[in-house]
Amino acid sequence: MDEIEYASATGAFSYLWLLIALPALGALFLLLAGRRADKWGHWVGVATVASSFGLGLWMFFSLRGLTDKTAYQELFQFLSVGDLTIDAALLFDPLSAVFVLLITGVGSLIHLYAVGYMEHDEGRRRFFGYFNLFVAAMLLLVLGGNYFMMFVGWEGVGLASYLLISFWQMKPSAATAGKKAFLTNRVADVGFVLALFTMIGAVGSVDFDAVFNAGIDGQLTSGVTLALGLLLLLAAVGKSGQFPLQTWLPDAMEGPTPVSALIHAATMVTAGVYLIARSHIIFELNSTVQTTVVAIGAITLLFGCIVGCAQDDIKRILAWSTVSQIGYMFLAVGLGGAALALGIIHLLAHGFFKAGLFLGAGSVMHGMNDQTDIRRFGGLWKKMPWTYATFAAGWIAIIGMWPFSGFFTKDPIILAAFAREGWQGWVFGGSALLGAAITAFYMTRLFVLTFHGPKRWTDPDHHPHESPPVMVVPLVFLALGSVGAGFLLAAGVPEWLSPVFGETTLAYGHLGHTEVMILTLSAVVLGAALAWWLFRSGGEKVQQPARTAIVRAARSSLYGDRANELVLETPGRFLTNASVWIDNRGVDGIVNSLAATIGGSSRRLLRLQTGYVRSYALSILFGAVLVVAALLVVFVG
C-alpha cells in the first residue's frame, strides 16, 4: 500500500471546523439561555444540526472533485513536549464524509421527531442542549485529524450519553443506567489511552499518517501491532456494546426514545466500528487481531439474537437487535479487504432502519400511554397506519428481505464470512447465517405482537391514536431510506471508500454468491414464517415460567451482568475493602498510634509541671541519685 499523505484544506474545506461548531454553539446557547427560551429553544437545536447537514453535503460534493480525496485542517498546536507534537486538527475524507452525512442527516430527523415527543417535558430545552452536545462530540470523533482529537470526541460522546441516558434522573432506574453506561465506557477509555501511549512510545506521534506509514514501512514490530490492535479493539468493544461489554446498551433504554434512536442509529455505537475501520492498516498487519475482531463480531451477533428472542419490552428488543447488527459490522471490518466497505455500508443502512424502528417504537409508546410491553399491544395497524407502514419498512429491512436495504448490505457480509479460509469460513459464515434466521424470528415476533392479532391492552377506556405530523414526517423519510438506501449504498459506496481502504474485490470461498443468497433468504423466510405462525393470534399476557435452561439464560441476558459482577465488580470490591482495611489499620493505625504515644507521654510529663519549688527540688534530687547510681555501677562494676 502507498504511503498515506493528507492534502491541506482549502476552499469549502476551510470551514471544516464549522461542522462541529454549529451544534456545539447550539448546545451552549440552549444550556445557558434560561427559561426565556423554553418555548422556542428546541428549534435552535434542530436548525444547527440541519445546517451542519447542509454544510456536510456541500463538502461531500466538493470532495468528489478533489484528486487525492482528502482535506486536512490544522487549527492550532495543542501540545509540544520534546519531539512530541500534537495538533488540534480535522480530517475530511471519504470515510469521515459518509459518517458526517449519517450523523447530521439522521440526527436532524431525530431532532425534528423529538420536538413532538418531548413537547410536554419541562426539561425540553435542556434535553436539546444535551442532544446538540452529543452530535457535536460525535462529529469531532469522526472528523478528528489524529487519534488525540478522536479521543477528545470519544470522551465528549461518553459525557453526553451519560447526561441523556439519565435525563429522567428522578427515576432510580434511569440514574443507574446512566452510571452503568458511564462506568462501562471508562473500561473502553482505558484501552484507548493505553493505545495512545503505545503509539507515542513506538512512533513518537499520534497522527494517523505517522502511525499508518510506520506500519506500511515495517517499522512496527508484530508485538506492537498486536498490542495496538487489542487495545483499540477493547476501546471499540466498550463503545459499541460488544461482547463482553454489551450489558450497558439495553439499559440505556431508560433515556427518552429519541436518545435511544440517536445512540443506536447514528452516533455512539457506530464509534467502535469507525475506530476499527479508520485503523484498518494496523489490524491488517496482524492476523491474530483480525481473527479476534471477527470472533467477537460473530459471538456478539448470536448473543444479541438469542437474548432478543426472550425479551418483551419493545425498546429492549430493538436494543438487543442493535447489539446483534453491530456484531455483523465488527465481523465485516474484522475480515478486512473488500468486507471493510461492506461493514460501513451496513452501518449506514442500519442508521436508517434502526432510527425508523426506534422512533416507531416511540410513536407506539406515545399512543399507548408509555406502555412498552409488546404483550399489551396488538391490532395497532388500524389505529396507527403511518406508524405501522413505516415500522414495517424497518422490519423488512432489518431481517434482510429483498428488495429492502438489509438484503443488499447483510448478504454480502455473510458471503465474505464464508470466504474465510479453512474452518473459520464455515464457523463465521454459519454464525452469520444462523443470526439472520434468528433475527427474522424475533423481529417478526415483535412486529406481529405489536401491530397484528387481537388488542391486548388492559385499560378499556384507552384509545390508541396516531402521532402528530412532526413525529410522522421523520418516520416517512427514514422508511424511504429503509427501502432504497441499501441498493444505492451498495452500488456506489465501495468505490467511494476505495481511497481509504484501497482497491479490493470480494473473494468467494466455501459458498458462491447464489448459494449464499438462496440460503440466507430461505433462513429469513423460515424464521419469519415460524414467528408469524406462533404469534399471529397474540401471545401470553403474562410471562410464563421458563421450562428450559436456555430460556432462563436468555431472559437473564445470558448472565452478562452476573459475569461482570464476578469478573470485575467482586474483585474490585474486594480490592477496595482490602485497601480501606490497610489504610485504616495500617497507615492510619501507625500514625494514630504514634500520635497517641506522644500525646500520652506529654500528658504524663505535664503532671511534673506542678509549679512548686519543692517538687522540682525533689526531681533534681531524684535525678542526681540516678546519675550517682549510674556512675557507681560503671566504676565499681
Side-chain angles (χ1 to χ4, degrees), residues 222-272:
S222 59
V224 171
T225 56
L226 178 65
L228 267 181
L230 292 178
L231 290 171
L232 291 174
L233 177 60
L234 173 61
V237 162
K239 211 64 164 181
S240 291
Q242 296 290 283
F243 180 83
L245 299 177
Q246 76 286 346
T247 55
W248 70 269
L249 199 52
D251 287 3
M253 297 301 99
E254 292 293 336
T257 300
V259 175
S260 306
L262 195 62
I263 288 177
H264 286 248
T267 56
M268 191 164 176
V269 299
T270 63

Side-chain angles (χ1 to χ4, degrees), residues 430-441:
S431 299
L433 183 62
L434 179 61
I438 303 176
T439 300
F441 176 82

Side-chain angles (χ1 to χ4, degrees), residues 74-81 84-89 146 148-149 152:
E74 184 178 326
L75 301 175
F76 56 88
Q77 191 176 77
F78 180 80
L79 178 69
S80 180
V81 179
L84 175 64
T85 301
I86 298 178
D87 295 323
N146 51 53
F148 173 76
M149 291 298 287
V152 174

Side-chain angles (χ1 to χ4, degrees), residues 337-360:
L340 277 165
L342 300 177
I344 301 302
I345 294 170
H346 191 56
L347 184 151
L348 297 173
H350 177 264
F352 284 100
F353 58 71
K354 184 49 61 69
L357 288 169
F358 264 115
L359 297 188

Side-chain angles (χ1 to χ4, degrees), residues 143-311:
L143 287 171
N146 51 53
Y147 279 103
F148 173 76
M149 291 298 287
M150 185 190 290
F151 182 71
V152 174
W154 189 274
E155 288 301 293
V157 167
L159 171 64
S161 66
Y162 166 73
L163 294 171
L164 286 168
I165 293 170
S166 56
F167 182 75
W168 289 325
Q169 74 275 10
M170 67 292 294
K171 292 168 53 183
S173 56
T176 302
K179 285 190 291 185
K180 188 175 184 179
F182 189 82
L183 292 174
T184 307
N185 275 276
R186 298 293 73 75
V187 178
D189 294 347
V190 170
F192 205 135
V193 170
L194 292 178
L196 288 176
F197 290 151
T198 305
M199 290 174 196
I200 293 172
V203 185
S205 175
V206 292
D207 292 340
F208 291 143
D209 52 356
V211 175
F212 298 156
N213 289 333
I216 294 171
D217 295 341
Q219 298 175 26
L220 300 180
T221 64
S222 59
V224 171
T225 56
L226 178 65
L228 267 181
L230 292 178
L231 290 171
L232 291 174
L233 177 60
L234 173 61
V237 162
K239 211 64 164 181
S240 291
Q242 296 290 283
F243 180 83
L245 299 177
Q246 76 286 346
T247 55
W248 70 269
L249 199 52
D251 287 3
M253 297 301 99
E254 292 293 336
T257 300
V259 175
S260 306
L262 195 62
I263 288 177
H264 286 248
T267 56
M268 191 164 176
V269 299
T270 63
V273 182
Y274 173 79
L275 177 62
I276 295 178
R278 173 63 73 191
S279 312
H280 67 97
I281 293 175
I282 296 173
F283 286 88
E284 289 174 349
L285 289 172
N286 195 301
S287 59
T288 302
V289 177
Q290 272 193 310
T291 303
T292 307
V293 177
V294 174
I296 285 178
I299 292 171
T300 308
L301 77 88
L302 290 177
F303 197 107
C305 288
I306 293 170
V307 179
C309 292
Q311 302 295 312

